[in-house]
């Protein structure tokens, strides 16, 4: 198993955000996570990426326990992530943003990293903007940059946090095509998303979280039909 | 997207220096040459003024690297100015070391002191780090005030034997037909110029290196930088220790020039940190050009307004507030935004080979 979360617990005061959570992602697999706001989805990502330490439980990546490994170490071992609100290095150019990921996340020299960074930019449709300041990008471009920068670190699993939120229908389907393409290169995907139809176009398996608990898991279309999932999602999306 | 992937991949390459930055480098060489030759024709007042400008600029570059890039808002850099100054006095007066040799030694020892200091103050974040660094500087001051061989709380002076033992003074005296104090100023001027140029070169090389890439990332978004594999703590520590070394050397030079030291002056938060912050903020924090512009403005204000006493400080504060309110990126920020210029280019441009022009 590439990524394995076992018995994860976390609470902020009296608010429980992870309650004995188990989750796994196999190499090359695409797993989706849905759940209402406050279900603990982003917190789960923060614990996997190392920004936040769990109250109890284990996170293993490629068989190795990640307890005590700082965020930079997790990135270098192959965990890439994007943020719900893009966090570009605004005064660096788009290309330099990728270079940071390539040089530090993959431990290569700038010169060796150039070719792969260029190819990623081309693949994500950002080549035209390569030498523009990241602070000048539109929302869609910023979301693409989040992905491109994470890809520059050559991840084996990519954590996507609501990457489709706030985009138009057309932008969203472009993004889905990009993510499918990334998947084809063998990168495993763990994707939190409210835009369910985007998610369903990519993932193999769907996990539903509520109050830090896994309430359903399985084949995406079947899970979406479950009454308890329906109940949570009434009024959000069918 | 899919048809993009089907296209044969292009070859990419990285380009660092732009034509404008090459022109700026050539201009910088000419300015440097003029500055080197200046004391041969300039009067003693101008030489002394420029020494002051050079070391304030060097201090500002260090503080900018610390605060503008590494996010370490230190209000305690006077700790290393004072330490460097006192080390120069200790080495020359008590140890009999030649003053010019004492300057690099002061740098090394400052770095050695900075390391344990960092282990303490790095446990604090944001505003607490700022206050903590100030408190540490006060501790340094109080410790040196206890050191009786160097005059304790009242301080001490360099003996003429030490100040005139700087190599080169005799030959300058003979060459330019000057008296000892004037010749001493000229040697100090050249040392200050060398130290400032070296500081600028050092900061520039750091920013051009892979560490500079990480520093730019840390400046813009620290958490995102560590998520992309940057060891933020290690880079901050390296920057803190390196700037302490340079600051210590500048401190040693300042007090070689002043020839008189006391704990209150050497560890003065106003002289060695508040003014330096003023320079960086009005010039433009997080850029290399900002501190250069800020230092020149500060020098001009000091030169022409210092006679107004308290009004001078009030004016200085007002200017700083106005710039923070209306041009938070500083004067250089205003200029570079309007005209899209950089003098010290650290940009890495992606170039697609086989196509003409921009990627």
């Amino acid at each position: 198993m590439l990524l394995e979360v076992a018995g994860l617990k976390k609470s902020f005061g009296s608010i429980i955000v992870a309650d004995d959570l188990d989750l796994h992602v196999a190499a090359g697999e695409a797993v989706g996570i849905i759940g209402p706001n406050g279900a603990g989805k982003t917190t789960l990502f923060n614990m996997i990426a190392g920004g936040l330490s769990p109250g109890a439980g284990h996170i293993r990546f490629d068989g190795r326990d990640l307890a005590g490994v700082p965020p930079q170490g997790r990135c270098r071992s192959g965990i890439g992530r994007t943020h719900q609100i893009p966090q570009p290095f605004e005064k660096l150019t788009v290309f330099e943003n990728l270079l940071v990921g390539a040089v530090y996340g993959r431990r290569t020299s700038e010169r060796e990293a150039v070719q792969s960074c260029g190819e990623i930019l081309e693949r994500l449709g950002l080549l035209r903007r390569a030498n523009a300041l990241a602070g000048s990008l539109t929302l869609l471009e910023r979301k693409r940059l989040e992905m491109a920068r994470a890809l520059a670190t050559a991840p084996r699993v990519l954590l996507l946090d609501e990457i489709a939120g706030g985009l138009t229908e057309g932008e969203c389907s472009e993004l889905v095509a990009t993510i499918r393409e990334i998947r084809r290169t063998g990168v495993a995907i763990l994707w939190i998303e409210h835009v369910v139809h985007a998610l369903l176009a990519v993932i193999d398996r769907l996990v539903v979280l509520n109050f830090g608990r896994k309430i359903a898991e399985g084949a995406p279309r079947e899970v979406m039909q479950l009454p308890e999932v329906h109940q949570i999602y009434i009024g959000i999306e069918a | 997207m899919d048809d993009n992937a089907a296209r044969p991949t292009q070859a990419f390459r990285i380009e660092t220096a732009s034509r404008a930055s090459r022109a700026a480098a050539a201009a910088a060489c000419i300015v440097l040459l003029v500055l080197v030759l200046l004391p041969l024709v300039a009067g003693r007042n101008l030489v002394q003024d420029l020494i002051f400008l050079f070391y304030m600029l060097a201090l500002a570059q260090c503080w900018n690297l610390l605060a503008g890039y590494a996010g370490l808002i230190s209000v305690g850099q006077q700790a290393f100015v004072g330490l460097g100054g006192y080390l120069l006095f200790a080495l020359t007066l008590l140890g009999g070391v030649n003053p010019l040799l004492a300057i690099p030694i002061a740098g090394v020892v400052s770095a050695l002191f900075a390391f344990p200091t960092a282990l303490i103050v790095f446990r604090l974040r944001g505003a607490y780090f700022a206050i903590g660094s100030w408190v540490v500087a006060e501790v340094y001051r109080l410790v040196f005030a206890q050191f009786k061989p160097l005059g304790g709380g009242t301080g001490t002076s360099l003996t003429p034997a030490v100040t005139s033992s700087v190599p080169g003074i005799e030959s300058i005296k003979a060459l330019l037909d000057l008296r000892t104090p004037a010749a001493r100023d000229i040697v100090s001027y050249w040392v200050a110029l060398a130290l400032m140029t070296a500081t600028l070169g050092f900061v520039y090389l750091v920013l051009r290196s892979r560490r500079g890439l990480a520093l730019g990332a840390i400046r813009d978004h620290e958490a995102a930088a560590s998520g992309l594999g940057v060891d933020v703590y290690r880079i901050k520590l390296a920057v803190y220790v390196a700037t302490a070394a340079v600051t210590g050397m500048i401190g040693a030079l300042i007090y070689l020039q002043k020839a008189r030291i006391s704990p209150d002056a050497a560890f003065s938060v106003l002289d060695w940190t508040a003014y330096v912050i003023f320079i960086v903020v009005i010039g433009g924090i997080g850029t290399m050009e900002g501190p250069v512009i800020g230092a020149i403005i500060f020098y001009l204000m000091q030169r022409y307004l210092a006679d107004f006493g308290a009004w001078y400080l009030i004016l200085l504060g007002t200017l700083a507030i106005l710039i923070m309110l209306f041009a938070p990126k500083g004067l250089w920020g205003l200029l570079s935004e309007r005209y899209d210029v950089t003098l010290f280019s650290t940009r890495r441009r992606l170039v697609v080979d086989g196509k003409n022009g921009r990627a």
Side-chain angles (χ1 to χ4, degrees), chain A residues 29 55 64 70 80 85 89 103 108 118 130 139 141 160 185 211 215-216:
Chain A
E29 195 186 14
R64 172 176 169 229
I85 297 163
F89 306 125
V103 167
T108 56
L139 178 66
E141 287 170 333
L160 299 172
T185 62
F211 296 112
I215 60 165

Side-chain angles (χ1 to χ4, degrees), chain A residues 19-23 33-36 39 206-218 222-224 226-233:
Chain A
D19 189 4
D20 208 9
L21 196 61
D22 296 324
L23 189 81
I33 299 177
I34 60 169
L206 183 61
V207 172
V208 186
L209 295 186
N210 199 12
F211 296 112
R213 242 172 211 291
K214 186 161 75 180
I215 60 165
E217 178 173 15
E222 284 163 32
V223 168
M224 286 313 290
L226 294 174
E228 55 266 45
V229 176
H230 244 259
Q231 202 184 353
I232 289 171
Y233 266 83

Side-chain angles (χ1 to χ4, degrees), chain A residues 76 91 96 104 115 123, chain B residues 1 10 210 220 229 347:
Chain A
R76 286 173 196 158
K91 284 186 261 176
E96 286 170 327
Y104 285 91
Q115 187 64 26
R123 196 139 55 90
Chain B
M1 282 279 46
Q10 298 158 316
R210 45 184 286 153
D220 289 356
R347 278 274 166 262

Side-chain angles (χ1 to χ4, degrees), chain A residues 72 75-76 87 89-92 95-96 103-105 108 110 115 118-119 122-123 131 133 149 178, chain B residues 1-2 4 7 9-10 12 210-211 214 217 219-221 226-231 347-350:
Chain A
Q72 66 267 23
C75 167
R76 286 173 196 158
Q87 303 181 343
F89 306 125
E90 301 205 347
K91 284 186 261 176
L92 301 185
F95 169 58
E96 286 170 327
V103 167
Y104 285 91
T108 56
E110 287 183 34
Q115 187 64 26
E119 283 166 20
E122 190 176 13
R123 196 139 55 90
N131 296 316
L133 288 185
R149 205 168 61 169
T178 309
Chain B
M1 282 279 46
D2 282 346
N4 264 357
R7 211 163 45 183
T9 337
Q10 298 158 316
F12 299 99
R210 45 184 286 153
R211 285 231 158 63
R219 171 195 64 194
D220 289 356
H221 207 299
S226 76
L228 288 172
V230 177
D231 192 337
R347 278 274 166 262
R348 296 142 170 96
R349 297 177 56 83
L350 182 70

Side-chain angles (χ1 to χ4, degrees), chain A residues 4-11 15-24 39-40 43-44 47 54-60 207-217:
Chain A
E4 214 178 341
V5 172
L8 204 65
K9 288 188 178 163
K10 180 78 186 175
S11 53
I15 302 161
I16 297 164
V17 287
D19 189 4
D20 208 9
L21 196 61
D22 296 324
L23 189 81
H24 60 93
T43 308
L44 172 66
M47 288 190 281
H58 293 279
I59 300 170
R60 287 188 203 86
V207 172
V208 186
L209 295 186
N210 199 12
F211 296 112
R213 242 172 211 291
K214 186 161 75 180
I215 60 165
E217 178 173 15

Side-chain angles (χ1 to χ4, degrees), chain A residues 100-133:
Chain A
V100 173
V103 167
Y104 285 91
R106 240 171 60 204
R107 300 179 152 240
T108 56
S109 73
E110 287 183 34
R111 218 154 278 283
E112 286 168 56
V114 178
Q115 187 64 26
S116 66
C117 287
E119 283 166 20
I120 291 168
L121 286 172
E122 190 176 13
R123 196 139 55 90
L124 290 191
L126 280 172
L127 193 53
R128 210 169 39 80
R129 305 285 276 148
N131 296 316
L133 288 185

